[in-house]
Amino acid sequence: MPDAGPTAVLPLRPLTVGELIDSAVLLLRDHARVLVPVALVLAALEQLLLYPLRLVAEVTPPAYLPRLDELPAYWFLLAVGAACEGVIIALLGNLTARAAGTVLLDPAAPVRRLLRPGGARLPATLLVALLVGAVMFVASLVMPLWAVGFALLGSVAPAIVLDRFGPFRALWRSATLALRTSGRAAAVRLLGYLVWWLLRIGLAVGAVTGLNSAGLLAPEWQLPVGIAVWALVNSVAYPALACVDAVVYLEARIRTEGLDIVVNRARQTGAPVLTPMAGRR
């Protein structure tokens, strides 16, 4: 069981996969009043960007299933959607990484502290988010590579925020950390995505279908309601995935680099947590 007290969200010990998911949910719950509104804005912008591409691909909400005669347009739509997801999760990863770091080192800090620009390294995060989006777009054009790209890129924002790496070094750091211990971090990230993908499909399709079945949704409102429902669902799913990334990053450092020893020493002595251990095995 997770430790009691301020480390309940992030126990300073190696965690099971189930505990990692639980810790990510707790991190989201404790910081939802900041994470969800920011995610809602980003998710709404994503829906607006994808809208004309969905018209070209001739897909309709809520499931946006492909048409056999429009597969090239649908494939391009999927690639753009994957790029948008990558960018959004990386941007939210800046907030969730800082939230996770605060839980470890300053649990009494107010949640609104996440909105302060000081120490956020926003330009570096924006650059690496665009790089992630580009990688995910290209990888999604060759569909099997999407899983590889997504699995390896979960730690880019935490590496920038918590270990102060530059964007390109953060990409390398993310990939190497994901592959440690037989690819455990990569597998957990893919599992988290699968879980939230199933939840997103179920919630979005269920909501719109339910309104249609009850006769509460006129045909002309199906498109805007579908867009709104997907934005709302993603406003929870995206920060949840970013929370998984932050928790997995710190747990991987605890498991392979002894971060728990560094943090415990810092708590006892008041010394800052430095990052010379980053990259060590």
Side-chain angles (χ1 to χ4, degrees):
M1 293 295 291
D3 302 334
T7 60
V9 175
L10 290 167
L12 286 176
R13 58 176 174 80
L15 304 178
T16 66
V17 173
E19 287 175 328
L20 282 171
I21 301 300
D22 289 343
S23 291
V25 171
L26 290 174
L27 186 65
L28 173 61
R29 181 201 65 185
D30 292 347
H31 298 83
R33 60 182 179 272
V34 169
L35 296 175
V36 172
V38 173
L40 179 59
V41 172
L42 295 174
L45 292 175
E46 176 194 29
Q47 292 299 309
L48 293 177
L49 176 63
L50 295 179
Y51 172 70
L53 299 179
R54 287 168 174 163
L55 291 181
V56 173
E58 298 184 22
V59 293
T60 56
Y64 296 111
L65 296 176
R67 290 168 50 98
L68 293 180
D69 57 342
E70 293 290 348
L71 284 182
Y74 187 75
W75 199 287
F76 183 78
L77 169 64
L78 290 180
V80 174
C84 289
E85 287 186 342
V87 171
I88 292 173
I89 295 171
L91 292 175
L92 292 172
N94 181 288
L95 296 174
T96 58
R98 286 190 284 143
T102 299
V103 168
L104 288 182
L105 302 174
D106 189 13
V111 174
R112 63 180 179 275
R113 181 179 178 181
L114 297 181
L115 296 176
R116 299 174 185 171
R121 306 199 70 204
L122 296 178
T125 302
L126 178 59
L127 176 56
V128 83
L130 294 175
L131 290 173
V132 168
V135 171
M136 292 308 302
F137 176 78
V138 174
S140 297
L141 293 177
V142 184
M143 187 58 68
L145 290 182
W146 172 89
V148 177
F150 188 84
L152 297 182
L153 295 175
S155 296
V156 288
I160 285 176
V161 174
L162 299 176
D163 280 342
R164 321 304 289 177
F165 287 159
F168 294 101
R169 192 180 175 195
L171 290 170
W172 177 254
R173 167 70 162 165
S174 179
T176 55
L177 201 66
L179 294 174
R180 289 184 187 174
T181 58
S182 302
R184 184 173 183 273
V188 171
R189 192 176 200 230
L190 286 175
L191 175 64
Y193 186 89
L194 176 61
V195 169
W196 278 101
W197 180 77
L198 292 174
L199 287 173
R200 285 190 288 169
I201 292 291
L203 290 172
V205 173
V208 176
T209 302
L211 290 173
N212 273 326
S213 300
L216 300 176
L217 189 60
E220 62 271 18
W221 281 98
Q222 183 163 328
L223 179 59
V225 169
I227 291 174
V229 167
W230 271 106
L232 288 171
V233 170
N234 287 336
S235 72
V236 177
Y238 287 158
L241 291 170
C243 284
V244 171
D245 290 340
V247 170
V248 167
Y249 182 79
L250 291 174
E251 194 270 349
R253 287 201 60 192
I254 290 171
R255 182 179 293 270
T256 64
E257 297 177 354
L259 180 63
D260 52 329
I261 299 173
V262 178
V263 172
N264 278 323
R265 184 181 299 126
R267 288 176 178 174
Q268 294 169 3
T269 65
V273 178
L274 304 177
T275 59
M277 297 182 68
R280 285 176 53 188
R281 291 181 182 270

